Amino acid sequence: MIYREAGQFKMTYASDQAIFPIVQDRWLVAIGIVAAFVVPPLVANEYWLQAVLIPFLVYALAAIGLNLLTGYAGQLSLGTGGFMAVGGYAAFKLTMAFPWLDIIVVFLLSGVIAAGVGLVFGIPSLRIKGFYLAVATLAAQFFLVWLFNKVPWFVNYASSGTITAPNRAVAGLMVTGPNATAQTRYVVALALVAVFALVAKNLVRGRVGRSWMAIRDRDIAAEIIGVRPLQTKLLAFGISSFYCGVAGAELVFLYLGSAETLAFDITLSFLVLFMVIIGGLGSVLGSFLGAGFIVLVPIFLTNVPHLIGLPLPVALQKQMELMVFGGLIIFFLIVEPLGLARLWQITKEKLRLWPFPH
Amino acid sequence: MPEGAEPLLTVTDVSVRFGALLALNRVSLQIERGEVVAIIGPNGAGKTTLLNVISGFYHAYEGRIVFAGRDRTRLAPPDVAALGIARTFQNVALFKGMTVLDNIMTGRILKMRGSFLLEALYWGPAKRQELHHRAFVERIIDFLEIQPIRKTLAGRLPYGLQKRVELARALAAEPTLLLLDEPMAGMNVEEKEDMCRFILDVNSEFGTTIALIEHDMGVVMDISDRVAVLDYGRKIADGRPDQVRKDQAVLDAYLGVSHE
Amino acid sequence: MSNILYGVFLAPFKDMAGSPAFLAEVLIGGIFAGLLYSLVALGFVLIFKASGVFNFAQGVMVLFAALTLVGLMERGVPVPAALLLTAAVMLALAFVIERVVLRPLVNQPYIILFMATIGLNFFLEGFGEMLWGANVKKLDVGIPDRSFIVAGVQINQLELFAAVTAAILVAVLAVFFQRTRIGRALRAVADDHEAALSIGIPLKTIWVIVWAVAGGVALVAGIMWGAKSGVQFSLSLIALKALPVLILGGFTSIPGAVVGGLIVGVGEKLGEVYWGPLVGGAIENWFAYVVALAFLLVRPQGLFGEKIIERV
């Protein structure tokens, strides 16, 4: 199939407003989604599912959440880890208190609770902007993690201080807990991220997304055409925190299996921020690319030097990881603030013309 | 304009203060329905401040603003927008990271209703509403002849086109009163002519009342029904262009400097 | 209920009055921590004043300077030479940062520059540890970590020395900004980039100077902190506390950075010792941020900052 759009005329505004206006794109995406559901569970081994694909999907969901807030609405947050912690701990408390409740419903409710917390910490955004707001979100990060660490009620008084995902099934299939297979957990994570990526895409191409971007690009002009800054920013905080909350619940229930507050510390906030910047600010696709990139770099640094016979010491790997992430952040901000997503778009535009460059 | 009908906008004795600086000193201004009013004056005369106080960015510490028969002295900008007042800015305040189409669609925001939950699904009323407004926006795009740049990022456009897109965004709100802050600043002659034509067409086709700040006296004399002159935060003249042109106070303060 | 009220409003003050010597020690500990926060915050203020850049990497610059100094000393370089070399490294770093990070991002929104310094933060952390190793190091500056007792209050020699150094440094910087030609140029740049350029102030040079001075401040902070609690990664995290300090003091004020640092240092020590036990302790981690957050809502420009008037 050749990548061409010649002869595809958009006869209605509906077709012009579609997420993938080009027919080939629609087919590729459809095939890609089906393949993503079918192929990895059949061919990928436990290691790939558990160490690469599941964290990729979980982080992608969190990155979409942060991207809605930072990339679209322009409100920088360093509190992602804290909001994810709310999701993780809420899911634990909910499923322990109501074991009969469907675990997917538990995930969604955890997201709602995280959204509520996000709204509270979003209130200062009315009066403060930019890095002032970043400091406010740091308060959320440190306070929330401290809270879950100090109040034993959140871990059901477990002496270890950890929360552990219990066995929970959906339609007879074990989804979380020690008895759930990596394949099942992968499919559940994929289904959730696919649905929520679509929802995010719908939001950002409509009224809500435009008011977010308007506030981001020129808040004064946004107000004068009727965008209400407080409501708009709070909606962004709420929806973003919902995404982070669901991702936090998945982090515990589908990826780690059990977790302490350490799993949600400020390092996680920065990690998700890196995904958003490297992947592309203001791009849903970029959130996936960024998450994939951040998950793969450490694996690359572990395996490639080993393959060419120059194994790196673990400490050095860690340091190189930091340098690669830090260096790339600067690189992308300077060269291509729209990140990997923009590079992908450029490739596609070239491909449209290929092999005739003019 | 029918005899005896109340003015669309009445500004009465409005003063605005920044610290020790009195930016507006008991300024009064009436704008009748359907008029094109030009506000002129030297730099720092308080013209933009007047627009800002009308659109709710600054609040008057004394005086009253009445719009369409109701007191509107203390409103926030979004509430002013909801009344049907739209504006453009002196230094173009487009959303640079959004396409031209999205910029203009944002201008429809007050006409759009609905919950984000429906929009999340892009389903039913949400989708219909989106398409309905798209069709309206396309009419404005045709009207202002900017079809080819629909999908271009606003920040990448040349200055003259940015001004035109900003006008489009303001028009998308279907305002009753349109405030234009130097709509022709930095334009070449040809672009100015286009802009004049658009302003007059907006006024005659949509019946929109227009108040504009402009420095080009030729343009002001050509397109405005009435001219108000500000100097040092006070209004020193108000009348038909040919009257103002002859006004001695105006000649002293303003025209006397730029014309010989 | 009355128990809780008693615990929050009365008991802590009774404890304070009951043992004034202990209270004094807590206060001194708070002042010392506060001075260190102030020093880091000072680095932020310098860069922010002159370039409008909010340098998230200031904390890591402290770590980087301390790591470099200790690394050189461990390799047998005598102390004075090691100090000079480290200062040279910080100067070189300022040059590189200006050339590689700041210059290409001139005129970008501040939030982009802020994120770039987050990237810088992580790069420097990895780079510093790769050069000098990640294990905790003891920094010996020749001042014994001993205490003497004045009027029943323990005073640590090292802390006293650090406090005096910090006070001198602040005074020198204040004079530098107010009285010297370069200082005036710096303030001009802070007020208006374009205007400064148009009267012939070389922006690039100014940026290198502020980053170098901020690097020097970072070095001093690194020495003091490293001498007290060893040179280790947690230095850069503690340095994040400078953010609430800045909110309290205002982003553009040198005295503000000092006063804000002292408020945060003393406040969190008092809070931890007297109120912390009520909620299970370890409130030092978030106390400063929450205070800053509350403060932001009341007075966004800080105690000493200039009021921000938005132009439309």
Side-chain angles (χ1 to χ4, degrees):
Chain A
M1 188 166 55
I2 304 173
Y3 195 72
R4 285 286 182 279
E5 57 177 319
Q8 300 179 23
F9 298 109
K10 296 157 197 157
M11 302 303 286
T12 63
Y13 293 135
S15 63
D16 191 43
Q17 309 256 77
I19 297 179
F20 302 106
I22 301 174
V23 171
Q24 284 93 331
D25 274 350
R26 273 202 292 276
W27 277 104
L28 277 177
V29 169
I31 293 169
I33 290 176
V34 172
F37 271 105
V38 177
V39 177
L42 291 178
V43 300
N45 59 21
E46 181 81 15
Y47 169 80
W48 267 89
L49 288 169
Q50 178 59 37
V52 181
L53 292 171
I54 293 177
F56 160 68
L57 295 172
V58 173
Y59 287 140
L61 187 61
I64 295 173
L66 181 62
N67 217 335
L68 292 178
L69 183 63
T70 302
Y72 285 96
Q75 312 296 309
L76 179 57
S77 165
L78 300 176
T80 316
F83 298 131
M84 289 176 75
V86 174
Y89 281 80
F92 174 74
K93 288 302 289 185
L94 282 170
T95 197
M96 296 315 270
F98 312 103
W100 41 267
L101 202 59
D102 189 293
I103 195 70
I104 303 297
V105 176
V106 168
F107 286 175
L108 300 180
L109 286 177
S110 314
V112 172
I113 292 171
V117 176
L119 282 179
V120 172
F121 282 96
I123 291 171
S125 68
L126 174 68
R127 291 205 54 181
I128 53 180
K129 295 177 191 173
F131 30 68
Y132 290 80
L133 185 65
V135 177
T137 57
L138 271 182
Q141 170 71 44
F142 288 116
F143 177 74
L144 290 169
V145 167
W146 173 86
L147 187 69
F148 296 128
N149 206 12
K150 283 293 165 192
V151 181
W153 180 79
F154 286 112
V155 295
N156 276 2
Y157 305 97
S159 53
S160 59
T162 53
I163 50 173
T164 306
N167 284 314
R168 293 284 182 269
V170 172
L173 205 59
M174 207 51 87
V175 169
T176 73
N179 295 339
T181 62
Q183 278 83 358
T184 324
R185 285 180 285 132
Y186 166 83
V187 170
V188 171
L190 179 64
L192 282 169
V193 81
V195 169
F196 283 117
L198 179 68
V199 165
K201 198 72 200 168
N202 282 339
L203 282 175
V204 298
R205 66 182 164 142
R207 179 186 63 109
V208 172
R210 282 192 299 265
S211 49
W212 285 345
M213 290 186 277
I215 287 283
R216 172 195 71 189
D217 282 355
R218 207 63 182 264
D219 50 357
I220 286 169
E223 280 185 60
I224 197 58
I225 52 178
V227 177
R228 291 180 190 280
L230 181 62
Q231 279 97 319
T232 308
K233 288 178 187 173
L234 282 186
L235 186 65
F237 264 97
I239 293 179
S240 165
S241 304
F242 174 86
Y243 275 71
C244 292
V246 175
E250 287 186 33
L251 188 76
V252 178
F253 280 71
L254 299 180
Y255 172 37
L256 297 175
S258 70
E260 303 172 47
T261 46
L262 196 63
F264 297 104
D265 77 355
I266 188 153
T267 325
L268 181 62
S269 298
F270 282 118
L271 210 59
V272 179
L273 181 65
F274 292 171
M275 293 172 193
V276 170
I277 297 177
I278 292 178
L281 288 161
S283 161
V284 173
L285 172 69
S287 308
F288 283 94
L289 298 176
F293 188 84
I294 298 279
V295 170
L296 285 176
V297 164
I299 293 170
F300 183 85
L301 286 176
T302 315
N303 292 321
V304 170
H306 198 74
L307 284 178
I308 57 171
L310 285 170
L312 299 174
V314 178
L316 187 60
Q317 274 173 31
K318 199 76 205 152
Q319 290 147 13
M320 285 188 59
E321 213 179 288
L322 288 173
M323 289 172 65
V324 169
F325 289 164
L328 278 173
I329 299 276
I330 297 171
F331 172 83
F332 272 109
L333 287 174
I334 292 172
V335 179
E336 190 50 82
L338 300 173
L340 290 169
R342 175 70 189 151
L343 296 182
W344 167 249
Q345 206 182 350
I346 293 170
T347 317
K348 246 171 56 172
E349 272 159 25
K350 293 243 167 78
L351 196 61
R352 238 184 243 190
L353 302 172
W354 187 85
F356 309 108
H358 292 292
Chain B
M1 135 192 43
E3 204 60 32
E6 63 180 7
L8 180 63
L9 177 82
T10 313
V11 176
T12 318
D13 288 336
V14 160
S15 301
V16 173
R17 201 184 261 291
F18 301 118
L21 176 79
L22 199 56
L24 285 183
N25 187 357
R26 300 181 73 87
V27 169
S28 299
L29 179 71
Q30 288 196 353
I31 298 177
E32 309 290 341
R33 284 179 196 274
E35 263 190 320
V36 176
V37 178
I39 300 164
I40 64 170
N43 283 327
K47 305 178 299 279
T48 298
T49 307
L50 182 58
L51 289 203
N52 282 340
V53 86
I54 295 173
S55 38
F57 285 120
Y58 302 151
H59 287 147
Y61 90 89
E62 61 173 357
R64 264 160 57 88
I65 298 174
V66 174
F67 182 76
R70 294 256 196 84
D71 189 323
R72 302 298 182 194
T73 312
R74 294 204 151 260
L75 283 184
D79 301 314
V80 173
L83 295 177
I85 300 181
R87 75 173 278 186
T88 66
F89 293 83
Q90 200 173 339
N91 308 311
V92 188
L94 283 179
F95 309 127
K96 294 195 170 164
M98 298 163 72
T99 61
V100 167
L101 181 63
D102 276 335
N103 264 281
I104 307 172
M105 285 291 280
T106 313
R108 298 293 292 167
I109 213 119
L110 281 170
K111 307 275 174 199
M112 298 178 98
R113 288 282 166 273
S115 86
F116 73 92
L117 286 173
L118 277 182
E119 284 176 54
L121 305 173
Y122 195 65
W123 175 80
K127 184 175 179 180
R128 277 198 299 277
Q129 156 165 291
E130 187 78 11
L131 296 177
H132 166 77
H133 290 290
R134 170 75 191 268
F136 183 89
V137 163
E138 287 292 336
R139 290 221 299 279
I140 292 174
I141 289 178
D142 287 344
F143 177 73
L144 292 176
E145 298 159 18
I146 46 177
Q147 299 91 334
I149 54 166
R150 247 190 225 106
K151 298 283 174 83
T152 313
L153 286 184
R156 303 220 169 123
L157 293 173
Y159 189 72
L161 274 179
Q162 291 201 9
K163 287 238 153 195
R164 207 185 282 187
V165 173
E166 207 190 12
L167 176 63
R169 186 180 67 190
L171 286 180
E174 298 176 71
T176 331
L177 173 63
L178 180 59
L179 310 171
L180 304 173
D181 196 346
E182 301 196 21
M184 277 157 260
M187 286 186 166
N188 61 32
V189 177
E190 203 173 319
E191 287 170 326
K192 277 186 187 177
E193 278 170 6
D194 280 341
M195 190 52 101
C196 283
R197 180 162 55 84
F198 291 134
I199 291 172
L200 290 174
D201 283 354
V202 168
N203 180 245
S204 58
E205 282 188 29
F206 304 122
T208 312
T209 310
I210 296 174
L212 65 126
I213 296 174
E214 187 47 57
H215 279 299
D216 185 321
M217 292 316 293
V219 169
V220 169
M221 296 299 156
D222 278 353
I223 68 174
S224 48
D225 301 319
R226 200 153 56 78
V227 179
V229 190
L230 294 184
D231 191 26
Y232 290 112
R234 291 173 165 281
K235 191 172 82 171
I236 55 170
D238 188 344
R240 288 206 318 276
D242 51 321
Q243 294 170 334
V244 169
R245 196 203 295 266
K246 289 179 223 132
D247 190 293
Q248 195 52 46
V250 177
L251 288 174
D252 290 347
Y254 185 76
L255 295 178
V257 186
S258 58
H259 295 236
E260 52 271 38
Chain C
M1 189 64 205
S2 68
N3 257 346
I4 296 175
L5 288 176
Y6 176 76
V8 172
F9 292 108
L10 286 175
F13 298 103
K14 244 177 81 183
D15 291 348
M16 286 180 203
S19 172
F22 180 64
L23 174 64
E25 275 165 30
V26 172
L27 286 177
I28 290 171
I31 290 172
F32 177 70
L35 277 172
L36 291 175
Y37 296 150
S38 304
L39 273 185
V40 182
L42 215 58
F44 277 103
V45 169
L46 285 174
I47 291 177
F48 189 77
K49 255 175 110 80
S51 56
V53 177
F54 188 91
N55 179 26
F56 192 80
Q58 187 66 31
V60 167
M61 282 167 67
V62 173
L63 174 68
F64 190 82
L67 275 176
T68 309
L69 183 67
V70 175
L72 288 169
M73 281 162 64
E74 274 179 352
R75 280 157 187 74
V77 182
V79 177
L83 272 173
L84 278 178
L85 272 174
T86 310
V89 167
M90 297 312 284
L91 182 67
L93 190 65
F95 265 103
V96 173
I97 291 173
E98 193 279 327
R99 185 71 197 82
V100 177
V101 184
L102 299 178
R103 210 184 293 177
L105 285 173
V106 149
N107 291 333
Q108 290 287 326
Y110 288 152
I111 201 82
I112 297 282
L113 278 155
F114 177 50
M115 290 195 278
T117 64
I118 294 181
L120 183 66
N121 180 79
F122 281 79
F123 183 85
L124 278 183
E125 190 183 318
F127 187 59
E129 286 183 0
M130 194 171 86
L131 282 181
W132 308 112
N135 44 335
V136 181
K137 297 181 176 67
K138 187 73 192 145
L139 177 62
D140 186 7
V141 287
I143 311 280
D145 192 357
R146 272 201 307 263
S147 303
F148 53 92
I149 294 182
V150 180
V153 179
Q154 275 208 2
I155 293 177
N156 184 299
Q157 259 179 288
L158 190 65
E159 292 184 359
L160 185 67
F161 171 74
V164 172
T165 316
I168 293 173
L169 190 66
V170 170
V172 167
L173 283 172
V175 170
F176 172 73
F177 254 90
Q178 297 298 331
R179 299 264 184 268
T180 64
R181 208 171 58 85
I182 296 176
R184 281 195 294 272
L186 288 177
R187 282 189 295 152
V189 173
D191 283 346
D192 191 335
H193 284 187
E194 278 172 34
L197 278 176
S198 68
I199 58 166
I201 294 172
L203 197 57
K204 287 168 194 156
T205 321
I206 294 290
W207 282 12
V208 171
I209 292 174
V210 273
W211 279 74
V213 173
V217 174
L219 176 58
V220 176
I223 293 171
M224 286 164 44
W225 224 324
K228 185 69 191 159
S229 46
V231 176
Q232 53 184 320
F233 167 70
S234 65
L235 266 186
S236 68
L237 264 192
I238 300 169
L240 278 181
K241 288 264 178 65
L243 299 172
V245 168
L246 289 168
I247 286 180
L248 286 173
F251 281 81
T252 51
S253 162
I254 290 179
V258 177
V259 175
L262 291 177
I263 292 176
V264 167
V266 172
E268 70 180 16
K269 277 284 183 300
L270 285 178
E272 180 70 54
V273 172
Y274 291 102
W275 283 274
L278 290 176
V279 287
I283 63 171
E284 261 182 294
N285 286 335
W286 55 265
F287 180 79
Y289 294 96
V290 174
V291 170
L293 185 55
F295 201 78
L296 269 178
L297 295 176
V298 183
R299 198 179 154 83
Q301 72 270 33
L303 288 172
F304 296 86
E306 293 134 24
K307 189 160 171 69
I308 310 145
I309 297 175
E310 253 184 277
R311 280 184 59 88
V312 181

